[in-house]
Amino acid sequence: MSTTGGPDTATDVTWRDPKRYLWLIGLVVPLFPFIAWALVEATGLGLLWWTGILLLYVIFPVVDILFGKDSANPPESATAWLERDRYYRWCIYLYLPVQYAGLVFGCWLLTHGGLSFQGRLGLAITLGGVAGIGINTAHELGHKKESVERWLSKVALAQTCYGHFFIEHNRGHHVRVATPEDPASARLGESFWAFWPRTVSGSLRSAWRLEKKRMERLGKSPWSPRNDVLNAWAMSAVLFGALVLAFGPGLLPWLALQAVFGFSLLEVINYTEHYGLLRRHTESGRYERCAPRHSWNSDNVASNVFLYHLQRHSDHHANPTRRYQALRHFEEAPELPTGYAGMIVLAYIPPLWRRVMDHRVLAHYGGDINRANLHPGKREALLTRYGSAA
């Protein structure tokens, strides 16, 4: 393994990243619409326009189980070297042109491909899957200090009209994570279907408040073009406007559908990441510093490769600007029973989710349910059910 500047420690010479070329597998995701088209052409089965759903909710969870876990960390002396290696950045950058090529191709198919209603529905959802995982690409880019990467983050978010995530995630969620005040931290006893409207509306309001305050500090109106919420939304408006001009107004409902599915895919992952976990108040009245115990992690290697180590979430919260290839596993972090691919399927079915996750939250807190982040409306029921274990 080599870097632009070459190795500069003995560790650099002897240690090799075993996942170095596996990161390119992440580029399979933006190929979903092309894969769906090829499969339909080869088989004549219109059902295969739903290839995105099949891959996301069936094949990826099975692959996660088959390939197992990888808890190995890079040596500390290799971290700076790993972060300088621009190869890893290009694995991220390349997602965007493939994502948008797939979007344009999908829009042509939706309007000129002669698809049935069910076929267009399946293709729109497949496009939404690409856009939703594209938000994870935006997440990786948006935490970086280089302006070009932060700009590319907004580009990745334009397809889902979720540009405000760029603001809320970095300056809202990372400050309030694992607290009742955070709209992106799910509470014990809260179903995904109750979490969804709370996080979608709460994150939007929070992003606007944060950016309004920043504009006030600069002595500018919140309606300034420098407002990062507005200029991110403007990118979506330009993108959607150009696509509608190119392919006709009949495309608009399908664009809206893929956008909603895309940002909902982000939110179901948000639901998984901090479910029931709570930071305590210190004697000063502030919340304790975010620690590995405040994020659910998973070392299932397949999902981690597809999602650029997003599942090593504890290290990400401890070091938000650390690049994905250098994120570490923590033994003390609570571990999910499988990767995100399987967990999001469980999240859609609240009884299954509660059966799998509630007792893990309880065990994480040594049986003391009062230490968890409880859904206010379910508090009494949870205390009645689990109180005897405290």
Side-chain angles (χ1 to χ4, degrees):
M1 175 178 173
S2 62
T3 64
T4 305
D8 43 28
T9 73
T11 300
D12 296 340
V13 175
T14 59
W15 185 80
R16 297 291 184 269
D17 179 7
K19 291 184 280 193
R20 179 176 176 84
Y21 297 108
L22 292 180
W23 298 115
L24 291 171
I25 295 175
L27 296 176
V28 169
V29 173
L31 291 172
F32 280 4
F34 299 105
I35 294 171
W37 171 79
L39 290 174
V40 172
E41 286 292 302
T43 65
L45 296 175
L47 184 66
L48 292 174
W49 290 117
W50 294 82
T51 291
I53 292 293
L54 178 66
L55 289 168
L56 287 173
Y57 296 143
V58 179
I59 294 177
F60 285 3
V62 172
V63 169
D64 248 347
I65 295 169
L66 292 177
F67 280 83
K69 298 195 173 191
D70 168 32
S71 300
N73 291 330
E76 195 63 35
S77 57
T79 300
W81 171 58
L82 267 174
E83 296 222 3
R84 285 198 308 274
D85 190 341
R86 299 190 71 86
Y87 162 80
Y88 294 97
R89 303 188 196 188
W90 280 103
C91 291
I92 293 281
Y93 297 165
L94 287 172
Y95 190 102
L96 273 67
V98 184
Q99 172 186 346
Y100 278 97
L103 176 62
V104 172
F105 181 56
C107 289
W108 182 85
L109 288 170
L110 286 166
T111 53
H112 296 84
L115 277 64
S116 66
F117 176 83
Q118 290 81 2
R120 283 182 288 172
L121 186 61
L123 178 57
I125 296 297
T126 293
L127 290 171
V130 174
I133 298 180
I135 298 178
N136 179 57
T137 305
H139 168 261
E140 173 68 21
L141 293 166
H143 274 292
K144 303 303 174 280
K145 297 177 182 178
E146 295 184 17
S147 59
V148 66
E149 291 183 290
R150 295 168 68 83
W151 183 82
L152 287 173
S153 176
K154 294 181 186 178
V155 172
L157 291 165
Q159 186 176 340
T160 51
C161 301
Y162 228 55
H164 57 280
F165 172 82
F166 174 82
I167 302 300
E168 161 56 21
H169 179 82
N170 293 357
R171 287 160 38 203
H173 174 63
H174 271 261
V175 173
R176 300 183 301 245
V177 61
T179 71
E181 290 78 26
D182 181 30
S185 293
R187 301 156 178 172
L188 182 66
E190 182 177 32
S191 73
F192 168 68
W193 306 108
F195 172 78
W196 187 91
R198 181 172 73 84
T199 190
V200 171
S201 61
S203 295
L204 192 156
R205 290 195 302 269
S206 175
W208 182 259
R209 285 195 299 267
L210 289 165
E211 199 60 1
K212 182 180 179 182
K213 287 180 181 178
R214 188 178 75 89
M215 290 293 99
E216 289 173 351
R217 288 195 299 270
L218 295 174
K220 295 186 176 294
S221 165
W223 300 102
S224 163
R226 293 182 62 182
N227 182 319
D228 281 333
V229 172
L230 293 180
N231 58 51
W233 285 348
M235 292 177 74
S236 295
V238 170
L239 172 65
F240 278 39
L243 291 171
V244 167
L245 281 174
F247 298 108
L251 178 65
L252 196 55
W254 303 111
L255 285 176
L257 175 62
Q258 66 83 33
V260 172
F261 183 80
F263 70 67
S264 297
L265 191 58
L266 160 76
E267 296 300 359
V268 74
I269 291 176
N270 275 341
Y271 177 79
T272 297
E273 289 171 338
H274 305 282
Y275 178 76
L277 302 179
L278 181 66
R279 288 155 59 196
R280 292 181 174 182
H281 282 100
T282 63
E283 292 182 0
S284 68
R286 295 184 177 183
Y287 285 108
E288 64 181 318
R289 185 184 180 92
C290 187
R293 63 182 178 274
H294 299 125
S295 302
W296 289 100
N297 284 250
S298 170
D299 270 330
N300 286 79
V301 65
S303 284
N304 264 323
V305 167
F306 279 111
L307 296 174
Y308 307 115
H309 264 164
L310 180 65
Q311 297 174 148
R312 292 192 169 185
H313 210 60
S314 291
D315 198 15
H316 167 67
H317 273 278
N319 301 281
T321 61
R322 176 167 286 180
R323 294 187 181 274
Y324 69 94
Q325 65 270 23
L327 291 173
R328 301 159 297 171
H329 164 80
F330 287 108
E331 289 294 337
E332 64 269 33
E335 184 81 2
L336 293 168
T338 188
Y340 284 177
M343 295 308 297
I344 62 178
V345 175
L346 291 178
Y348 292 145
I349 311 169
L352 285 180
W353 175 267
R354 290 194 297 269
R355 181 180 291 273
V356 170
M357 286 302 297
D358 284 13
H359 72 90
R360 284 181 164 83
V361 176
L362 194 63
H364 179 60
Y365 288 115
D368 186 356
I369 194 70
N370 292 290
R371 294 172 58 191
N373 186 4
L374 303 181
H375 187 303
K378 302 288 182 66
R379 184 178 185 85
E380 292 305 317
L382 289 166
L383 291 174
T384 299
R385 182 175 182 181
Y386 296 116
S388 59

